[in-house]
Amino acid sequence: MSNTVEAGTIVGGPVNNDTVNTAQVQTSKKVMVNNTALSSSPNASTERPPTDSQDNWNETLNESKAVAAVYDWSPEIQGIILSSLNYGSFLAPIPSSYMAEVFGTRYLSGTCMFITSVLALFTPLAADTGVTVLIVLRVIQGIVQVVLLTSQYSIWARWAPPQERSQLTTIAVAGSVLGCFIIFFVGGYLCQTMGWPYVFYIFGGIGCVCSFLWFAVIYDDPVNHPFISTREKEYIVCSLAQEGSPPGWSLPIKAMIKSLPLWSILIFYFSDYWYFFVQTSYLPTFITSVFQANIRDSGILSALPFASACIFIVPGGLLADFLLSRKILRLNTIRKLFTAIAVLLPAVLFTSVFWVRSSFSTAIAFLTISSAFKSFAQSGALVNFMDIAPRYSALLRALSQIFSYMAGAISPTVNGFLISQDPELGWRNVFLFSAAVGILGLIFYLIVGQAEVQDWAKYRHAPTSERTDASDASA
């Protein structure tokens, strides 16, 4: 079906989005930064990766320094650099939802994908120029990527039938996870053999190619798609007809502010992305400092959790749609059940990593399984905004991004401070604090979250039309 192809193609977009850019910086940071301060903790793992990593560690660092520059950045500065991608992100989500309606998602997203990929190509030059230039570049890149991600969700308001929504959106979101997996898996090897700048050169180039592919195969709606069959076009249009037309410039702002189901989604976005940015920003550092893995092995080990998430995220969407289509569970129950699984089980496994760090294999297994369960949130609260207000999907995605970028701006900075205060217990505090934030967000969502279309999001005829119809009837 064309809408499945649409979802598969959108995967190529998020592969180069902000989450992957964070992975690029974090992967490269292991070589960009002088890591002498990251000494192993007293209770570090006595079990090591089954490689020759220890014998080659000093040699790897020397090779990396010879290939590319190394910067003396403190943990606090590293946290600011990692967070800078989100500093300007608060400005773009709301305008970008309107820009998608004005310019069309196809052209807006494709252009932003190309711009952010070009900025990735210039990241090594910015780092060599100075920290300030690098931070400014990443702030601009973050703003562009917000527009990219927000505008993409307006596609689903026109392409995804309600019975297939979980499946299609999880296929698209899998692209982001797949991108993180690829960069962590390959990035360590590139840093070790070619130098960290090539992580940005290679994947920035891939992003440019993906942007041209986007223009070639993506269309704003099924009506204008030149290759879709008439049967499928009618099926999609009819299934979405009851949800109403796009809202234009009229917004029920007061009703949205008072909507507790909407607030439950936004707060959960903050809590969930707090965990996500801990994983993308500091997991490689944790593996390097605790297990003393070299750059290549650290990248591979950091990629395993993303591999498990990528594998489980699509079956999770299929399972959610199956339970809904067979009427086994109500949609509200499905969203809350999947969200609870995605928070509680990973919280237990994630926090346990600190206490099982003496066993390398157990710690990596816990991190990998944790990410697998975490992916169920993509069929839970993270897609819930399309249930309660499909007409405003792009706008609500923009609002949710504001809260996720708030987490992205705060989380790496806070965690960098915690680790700098105590190299050993700092990791414990990072894991516990992340679990606490996630559980608090879950509790609020379970109490007030809903999956029914809200009254303020339902389509109504304009008062002018109603008055005209009434006058015609009386005549």
Side-chain angles (χ1 to χ4, degrees):
M1 297 178 67
S2 295
N3 51 350
T4 304
V5 174
E6 194 90 0
T9 307
I10 291 176
V11 168
V15 162
N16 295 278
N17 69 12
D18 62 313
T19 60
V20 174
N21 189 272
T22 301
Q24 284 178 312
V25 173
Q26 178 57 36
T27 301
S28 302
K29 192 191 78 174
K30 296 191 294 292
V31 184
M32 295 167 66
V33 180
N34 187 336
N35 287 282
T36 55
L38 297 175
S39 58
S40 60
S41 58
N43 295 323
S45 173
T46 56
E47 182 184 351
R48 300 292 185 233
T51 64
D52 57 349
S53 59
Q54 296 306 301
D55 295 336
N56 292 336
W57 175 242
N58 291 332
E59 179 182 351
T60 299
L61 285 179
N62 291 334
E63 290 176 357
S64 301
K65 291 179 181 179
V67 173
V70 177
Y71 307 103
D72 188 16
W73 294 335
S74 67
E76 291 83 357
I77 294 298
Q78 296 174 39
I80 293 174
I81 293 174
L82 290 171
S83 301
S84 61
L85 192 70
N86 304 289
Y87 287 163
S89 302
F90 309 105
L91 306 175
I94 302 300
S96 64
S97 64
Y98 289 108
M99 292 170 63
E101 297 295 335
V102 175
F103 299 105
T105 303
R106 180 189 184 191
Y107 295 104
L108 182 62
S109 295
T111 301
C112 290
M113 193 185 307
F114 179 77
I115 293 174
T116 188
S117 300
V118 172
L119 291 175
L121 295 174
F122 283 95
T123 299
L125 178 61
D128 194 52
T129 304
V131 173
T132 302
V133 176
L134 176 60
I135 291 175
V136 170
L137 181 144
R138 283 176 57 76
V139 169
I140 297 173
Q141 192 174 31
I143 295 174
V144 175
Q145 290 171 351
V146 168
V147 179
L148 167 61
L149 292 178
T150 303
S151 60
Q152 284 182 5
Y153 270 80
S154 64
I155 285 183
W156 299 119
R158 297 175 173 86
W159 275 96
Q163 298 293 329
E164 302 177 28
R165 188 161 289 158
S166 297
Q167 171 189 349
L168 295 175
T169 54
T170 52
I171 291 175
V173 172
S176 178
V177 182
L178 178 62
C180 289
F181 165 73
I182 293 174
I183 287 183
F184 276 126
F185 189 81
V186 179
Y189 176 79
L190 293 176
C191 289
Q192 181 173 326
T193 58
M194 303 177 66
W196 64 263
Y198 283 89
V199 175
F200 295 93
Y201 295 150
I202 292 175
F203 288 102
I206 292 175
C208 293
V209 174
C210 286
S211 64
F212 294 116
L213 179 63
W214 174 279
F215 284 119
V217 300
I218 294 294
Y219 290 83
D220 287 327
D221 53 58
V223 176
N224 296 318
H225 200 290
F227 308 118
I228 189 174
S229 66
T230 303
R231 179 181 178 182
E232 184 178 3
K233 182 185 301 184
E234 293 177 351
Y235 164 69
I236 297 174
V237 172
C238 292
S239 64
L240 297 175
Q242 297 181 352
E243 296 186 337
S245 59
W249 295 93
S250 177
L251 289 175
I253 297 178
K254 291 183 179 179
M256 293 173 65
I257 294 176
K258 297 178 181 179
S259 176
L260 289 178
L262 176 57
W263 277 107
S264 70
I265 296 172
L266 298 178
I267 292 174
F268 183 81
Y269 258 87
F270 178 89
S271 63
D272 187 75
Y273 272 81
W274 184 284
Y275 170 94
F276 178 81
F277 282 105
V278 170
Q279 187 180 38
T280 56
S281 299
Y282 283 99
L283 180 57
T285 304
F286 175 76
I287 292 175
T288 299
S289 60
V290 173
F291 300 119
Q292 297 294 289
N294 68 15
I295 299 169
R296 178 195 60 201
D297 296 336
S298 177
I300 294 174
L301 295 173
S302 300
L304 292 179
F306 294 100
S308 66
C310 188
I311 292 172
F312 279 86
I313 190 172
V314 176
L318 292 173
L319 178 59
D321 285 340
F322 172 80
L323 295 174
L324 179 62
S325 62
R326 298 300 177 90
K327 298 182 179 180
I328 299 175
L329 295 174
R330 296 186 302 113
L331 182 58
N332 191 41
T333 305
I334 293 173
R335 297 298 186 224
K336 292 185 177 181
L337 175 62
F338 278 57
T339 303
I341 293 174
V343 173
L344 296 178
L345 295 178
V348 173
L349 293 169
F350 195 59
T351 53
S352 299
V353 169
F354 178 80
W355 284 274
V356 301
R357 67 192 186 281
S358 60
S359 172
F360 161 78
S361 56
T362 302
I364 296 299
F366 276 22
L367 289 170
T368 303
I369 298 173
S370 171
S371 292
F373 285 118
K374 196 68 179 174
S375 66
F376 277 66
Q378 297 294 343
S379 300
L382 297 185
V383 75
N384 197 190
F385 64 87
M386 299 190 70
D387 302 320
I388 66 171
R391 293 181 63 217
Y392 300 98
S393 58
L395 174 64
L396 297 190
R397 172 58 179 172
L399 290 173
S400 67
Q401 279 187 280
I402 292 177
F403 281 76
S404 64
Y405 289 127
M406 286 173 59
I410 300 172
S411 175
T413 304
V414 170
N415 293 321
F417 174 79
L418 292 175
I419 295 171
S420 66
Q421 295 302 302
D422 191 324
E424 179 184 3
L425 296 181
W427 289 111
R428 182 202 62 182
N429 298 334
V430 167
F431 294 148
L432 289 176
F433 196 79
S434 176
V437 171
I439 292 174
L440 289 175
L442 171 66
I443 292 173
F444 187 72
Y445 177 76
L446 293 178
I447 294 174
V448 302
Q450 296 180 13
E452 296 78 18
V453 177
Q454 302 298 292
D455 290 338
W456 50 267
K458 293 179 180 178
Y459 178 74
R460 292 182 176 86
H461 294 289
T464 302
S465 299
E466 293 177 353
R467 289 194 297 268
T468 302
D469 293 341
S471 61
D472 292 342
S474 62

